Amino acid sequence: MPKSWTDDAPAPAPLQEHSHLKDPLSYKVKRKLLGNPLNRHSLGHQRLAKRFALGILSSDCISSSAYGSEQILIALLPAFGLASFAIMMPMTAVIIAILIIITLSYRNVIEVYTKTGGAYIVTKDNFGPKMSIVAAVALMLDYIVTVAIQSAAGVAAIISTFPSLRVGKVEMTLGIIALITYGNLRGVKEAGKSFAMPTYFFIGAMAVVFTAGLYKAFTGNLEVLATDQPGTFPLGHPQGLLTFSAIFILLKAFANGGSSMTGLEAISDGVALFKVPEDRNARRTLVIMSSILGTLVLGVSYFAQRIHAMPYEAGAPTVISQIAKVALGNGTAGQIFFIFVQAATMLILFAGANTTYNAFPLLCNFVATDGYLPHQLTKRGHRLAFSNGIIFLASSAALLVLFTGASVDHLVAFYALGVFTGFTLAGFGMAKHAYTYRLGNWRLKMFINGLSGGVSIVVVMVFAVVKFTEGAWIVITIAPIAIVSLIRLNKQYRLEQEALNFKGPESRATSISRHDVTILVDSVDVATVGAVRYARSLNPHAISAVHFVIDDQRAEEIRKAWGATPALDDVMLELIDCPDRRLANAAMDYAIRATAPQDVEVTLLLPRRSYTPVLGKLLHDQTAEEIARPISQLPRVVATIVPFDVAKIIAGKEAIVHDDHEAVLMQKPTPPTKIAPATVVSYKNNEPISHYAKNITPIGKITWRNRAHVEGQVASIRTAPSGSAPFLEVEVWDETGGVTLQFLGRREIAGLDVGSHLRAEGMVGELNGSLTILNPSYEITV
């Protein structure tokens, strides 16, 4: 090859973008539905002010106030009748007291875990990875139920406004789940500030409702609804509160009301999203969120008691919609604002479901990274979202909606058990952390967190008992099975990793003195010749070919064709009898004999002819894979499949696709460009000649033997082997092309990673026909 300094050498050129394979139909459909793939370097980290963080992270928690009080009434009314309204406020007070305790505990979580501090992380740090799986399974089940119940409750808000839509409740709920799933697969971000709007929309709407309701209550104009409306839950008869059945019902109502506290851990999960100081801003936001939630729950319970709002067996109209209708009145303005309130309720419920679409895949990513879930859940998809986790969440939630008929009342039976298990482990975990490290006011922190864990575990036990027959048994049954399955999966991952780990002296094979290559032949054709050509490129000690005879006539045809092919005249063909026609066994026997000497390594090349996907499987066998699989288990034996695309030859062209994704035919390369004669550069106004190129030059326009100042994104980093002289090669690209930066005498640059933005300046040289800047001055810009 002509060198750069000879007269007939081609001019060195910047690196150019390569062609790509033609997109398959499945990928074209994906691009059509989801849009163009996002560059992974666009995955930014957005810091949020408290006002945006409150709106974004609290939608799940605050939206639960829309149905928490209603669920208390559903449990009380059939047992206590109208006396239920008198019991409701004390019950709400107990729930708010528990809310305060758990809030104080999670303030401590945020103080210690300033990046992310969900129950999974806290449990793993304080009780070990196996115990953290309990928290992971509990939270995963809770997130699945959250999507189902938030979507169903949002649809109930729509039906409360438009009762004629009741017949399509399940279909509408599934449609909402599909719509939210589609939006998240397209890359809808939790940190998008537009998601803060539904929370403030709902808070503002409820503030107007409460204000109007209080005004009517003080003026004596607050309407009391009839309790005998058709479709409402039946009214029971008042009874004593100390009987066993009464206590059971009270505990059931308490468990129902506990659903108001779901989503409380969202702030601790998203601490890293806050502006600095993250922990202080997150703690303040948590207190504000809990205060708003407590106010809303208290307000809804108060007005439900005052107007005797009755829950309906069909789920609509909801209690919160009845409160809004009574408070706002039947006038034109009241009816318009009623629709406004229902729209706000619907939006915050759907936004709460969307919040889960970010928390669930992220939790799965943490658990899968630790080896307790399939590693596919750690992969980002087409639009940088954790697509596998999103699809898993949506599928599970959809099944739950179908199973319960999109009934909020039935879904509550599955709810809160998981999240209170998380509260329990987080509380006890933080209590242990306080006792272990004993920093600051550790006794008070240990008491608060221990109390939070103790109260939460009582709620879990109450919920498990009183909701057992209504569906909690499913969660109680599934959770242990899931925990055992995840631990078993982790054991398998650990065994596989142990098998792949380096084992001291065996990490580098230094005793192999002979490397032989054998081609397994089943016909003499272009694929076989290609495999032989590849075998020669390996520079082995010896090359041979083997055909396992299962048909004498075919073996004779192969022997004659081999001898008549000039390209194969230097390779010996060996015919080996295979009487039982088990090719994999015959290949194993051959490999074992060939590697009997301990200093011999053998590579078996298996030509594989690729055909069309459907007809290829029908018309041809998959022998190469069947042989390679068992051979790979032998020491000092490597099975290499050499693919050959028959379908491409049949098509008669070699199609590639350039950046515009248009198929083009391969063309002959253009003749090399000769180096132009040197030209004299004149400088106007007698400007001094500088050895520094000040202005940024597009990489595609830099020229050989001239200084250049370039800027672009690092596409690759090549480091010298540890046993050679140190050097570092960095490829930098912009929109016009790429150039290699070569740094001699170093193996790394602090802060430089693939994807970083780099600005460099130096003299443009040449290496292997490509432009290279040797030891440039540089600046990492991003």
Side-chain angles (χ1 to χ4, degrees):
M1 178 179 177
K3 301 298 182 183
S4 59
W5 55 81
T6 59
D7 292 337
D8 58 347
L15 302 172
Q16 296 299 320
E17 192 70 54
H18 300 293
S19 301
H20 302 282
L21 294 174
K22 185 178 180 181
D23 293 338
L25 178 61
S26 59
Y27 187 78
K28 290 179 179 178
V29 172
K30 181 190 289 187
R31 287 182 61 231
K32 193 72 173 177
L33 292 175
L34 304 181
N36 291 324
L38 293 179
N39 189 316
R40 68 181 180 86
H41 302 300
S42 66
L43 187 65
H45 184 71
Q46 184 178 8
R47 297 279 183 167
L48 299 175
K50 292 192 292 293
R51 63 183 182 278
F52 290 115
L54 175 64
I56 294 167
L57 299 176
S58 65
S59 56
D60 179 18
C61 182
I62 291 177
S63 63
S64 60
S65 64
Y67 50 80
S69 301
E70 180 172 349
Q71 293 303 313
I72 295 175
L73 286 174
I74 289 174
L76 293 177
L77 285 170
F80 297 104
L82 292 178
S84 304
F85 294 108
I87 302 171
M88 188 170 185
M89 289 308 292
M91 185 73 67
T92 303
V94 173
I95 291 171
I96 291 177
I98 296 175
L99 172 64
I100 293 171
I101 294 171
I102 295 176
T103 300
L104 293 174
S105 175
Y106 268 86
R107 282 188 81 254
N108 188 219
V109 170
I110 294 169
E111 184 180 5
V112 174
Y113 295 90
T114 57
K115 297 302 178 184
T116 181
Y120 177 73
I121 302 296
V122 174
T123 308
K124 184 173 74 170
D125 282 358
N126 293 283
F127 295 121
K130 285 199 167 107
M131 196 64 186
S132 69
I133 297 305
V134 178
V137 170
L139 290 175
M140 288 167 62
L141 292 173
D142 178 70
Y143 287 144
I144 291 170
V145 179
T146 296
V147 172
I149 198 170
Q150 297 281 89
S151 302
V155 169
I158 298 174
I159 294 173
S160 297
T161 310
F162 306 103
S164 60
L165 299 176
R166 182 178 289 112
V167 292
K169 180 171 67 173
V170 173
E171 292 78 6
M172 290 172 64
T173 305
L174 293 175
I176 292 298
I177 292 175
L179 187 62
I180 298 174
T181 302
Y182 175 68
N184 280 274
L185 288 175
R186 282 188 62 90
V188 174
K189 299 298 181 185
E190 172 69 22
K193 293 180 180 178
S194 60
F195 282 100
M197 185 271 293
T199 301
Y200 291 110
F201 192 21
F202 178 72
I203 293 172
M206 293 309 298
V208 172
V209 170
F210 288 169
T211 302
L214 288 173
Y215 175 78
K216 286 189 174 183
F218 289 143
T219 59
N221 295 322
L222 190 64
E223 180 185 358
V224 177
L225 299 177
T227 58
D228 56 353
Q229 294 292 328
T232 61
F233 276 85
L235 284 173
H237 300 287
Q239 57 177 297
L241 298 178
L242 298 180
T243 64
F244 177 80
S245 60
I247 292 174
F248 183 84
I249 295 299
L250 290 173
L251 291 175
K252 182 178 178 181
F254 168 72
N256 280 9
S259 62
S260 299
M261 282 178 277
T262 54
L264 198 62
E265 77 284 354
I267 300 290
S268 67
D269 290 336
V271 176
L273 291 173
F274 285 82
K275 289 184 176 180
V276 292
E278 298 97 334
D279 57 331
R280 186 173 67 185
N281 289 331
R283 289 200 306 271
R284 290 178 177 176
T285 306
L286 174 65
V287 172
I288 295 171
M289 179 185 74
S290 297
S291 301
I292 294 172
L293 174 62
T295 303
L296 290 172
V297 171
L298 186 64
V300 172
S301 296
Y302 170 76
F303 283 106
Q305 177 196 40
R306 287 295 302 269
I307 70 171
H308 287 184
M310 294 288 294
Y312 282 71
E313 292 182 322
T318 60
V319 166
I320 197 170
S321 69
Q322 296 175 55
I323 294 171
K325 203 165 191 63
V326 170
L328 299 172
N330 295 320
T332 303
Q335 291 180 354
I336 293 174
F337 201 80
F338 171 75
I339 296 176
F340 177 88
V341 171
Q342 291 303 98
T345 305
M346 174 196 71
L347 286 176
I348 193 172
L349 288 164
F350 293 158
N354 180 73
T355 302
T356 307
Y357 273 84
N358 293 271
F360 181 88
L362 195 60
L363 173 65
C364 289
N365 173 52
F366 288 150
V367 179
T369 301
D370 291 337
Y372 289 94
L373 280 175
H375 288 166
Q376 290 89 333
L377 293 171
T378 65
K379 310 298 183 187
R380 292 189 181 271
H382 190 74
R383 300 283 291 182
L384 295 181
F386 292 109
S387 304
N388 292 328
I390 290 172
I391 294 171
F392 177 36
L393 173 65
S395 303
S396 303
L399 288 175
L400 198 55
V401 167
L402 290 172
F403 180 74
T404 60
S407 168
V408 175
D409 180 33
H410 293 159
L411 285 167
V412 167
F414 301 93
Y415 211 25
L417 190 59
V419 73
F420 272 96
T421 302
F423 291 163
T424 300
L425 293 171
F428 286 143
M430 291 308 301
K432 181 183 177 184
H433 182 278
Y435 180 77
T436 302
Y437 294 96
R438 304 189 183 191
L439 300 175
N441 200 359
W442 65 272
R443 288 186 177 84
L444 177 61
K445 293 177 181 177
M446 187 175 71
F447 172 76
I448 292 174
N449 288 296
L451 180 62
S452 174
V455 168
S456 297
I457 198 170
V458 169
V459 175
V460 169
M461 291 187 293
V462 167
F463 205 102
V465 172
V466 302
K467 289 287 185 177
F468 186 83
T469 58
E470 297 180 18
W473 67 270
I474 298 177
V475 178
I476 295 170
T477 304
I478 290 176
I481 297 173
I483 291 168
V484 172
S485 300
L486 266 57
I487 292 174
R488 179 66 184 86
L489 179 66
N490 176 259
K491 182 180 179 181
Q492 180 64 27
Y493 272 134
R494 285 190 286 107
L495 290 174
E496 293 172 356
Q497 187 58 50
E498 185 178 350
L500 294 172
N501 284 341
F502 291 128
K503 297 179 177 63
E506 299 178 11
S507 63
R508 181 170 182 175
T510 57
S511 59
I512 302 300
S513 61
R514 174 171 170 171
H515 176 216
D516 295 338
V517 176
T518 299
I519 303 101
L520 302 187
V521 178
D522 63 348
S523 64
V524 180
D525 53 19
V526 179
T528 303
V529 173
V532 172
R533 185 183 302 117
Y534 173 67
R536 293 192 183 105
S537 71
L538 298 177
N539 296 322
H541 179 272
I543 300 177
S544 60
V546 168
H547 172 69
F548 297 109
V549 180
I550 57 177
D551 184 319
D552 293 328
Q553 182 178 353
R554 179 168 177 76
E556 180 63 19
E557 292 173 355
I558 289 175
R559 187 187 65 77
K560 291 180 180 179
W562 193 272
T565 305
L568 306 175
D569 56 7
D570 61 337
V571 180
M572 177 184 68
L573 175 65
E574 181 180 2
L575 302 179
I576 298 178
D577 189 23
C578 183
D580 61 357
R581 297 169 301 285
R582 298 173 67 186
L583 294 178
N585 279 2
M588 287 276 286
D589 291 339
Y590 174 84
I592 291 171
R593 291 197 308 271
T595 56
Q598 294 299 310
D599 61 343
V600 174
E601 184 177 54
V602 172
T603 296
L604 298 183
L605 299 184
L606 297 90
R608 183 182 65 184
R609 297 148 186 87
S610 301
Y611 304 92
T612 54
V614 178
L615 285 178
K617 292 182 179 180
L618 293 175
L619 303 180
H620 305 278
D621 58 22
Q622 306 294 321
T623 310
E625 286 81 0
E626 295 175 3
I627 295 175
R629 191 177 300 113
I631 286 178
S632 63
Q633 303 173 16
L634 297 176
R636 294 178 288 109
V637 179
V638 177
T640 302
I641 293 176
V642 183
F644 191 82
D645 195 343
V646 179
K648 177 183 65 178
I649 297 177
I650 295 174
K653 62 182 180 180
E654 189 172 356
I656 62 172
V657 177
H658 291 290
D659 295 332
D660 57 358
H661 296 278
E662 293 294 332
V664 297
L665 295 180
M666 292 289 289
Q667 297 179 351
K668 293 182 178 180
T670 55
T673 305
K674 302 294 184 180
I675 299 176
T679 57
V680 178
V681 181
S682 61
Y683 294 88
K684 296 182 180 180
N685 302 326
N686 295 322
E687 292 179 354
I689 298 176
S690 172
H691 292 286
Y692 175 77
K694 182 178 180 181
N695 297 324
I696 299 294
T697 304
I699 293 177
K701 295 184 178 180
I702 62 176
T703 55
W704 183 40
R705 293 178 176 172
N706 284 289
R707 298 192 74 84
H709 195 178
V710 298
E711 183 176 8
Q713 190 173 54
V714 176
S716 71
I717 300 175
R718 294 185 291 274
T719 307
S722 58
S724 67
F727 72 87
L728 186 71
E729 291 184 353
V730 179
E731 271 191 24
V732 177
W733 287 76
D734 65 7
E735 295 83 357
T736 62
V739 66
T740 300
L741 311 179
Q742 190 176 67
F743 300 88
L744 301 181
R746 62 197 308 177
R747 298 185 188 277
E748 63 178 350
I749 295 176
L752 184 67
D753 300 303
V754 173
S756 300
H757 285 262
L758 188 69
R759 187 177 296 146
E761 192 275 338
M763 179 64 72
V764 181
E766 177 267 347
L767 181 66
N768 297 328
S770 298
L771 295 181
T772 302
I773 303 178
L774 180 64
N775 286 332
S777 58
Y778 67 90
E779 177 187 359
I780 301 174
T781 56
V782 179

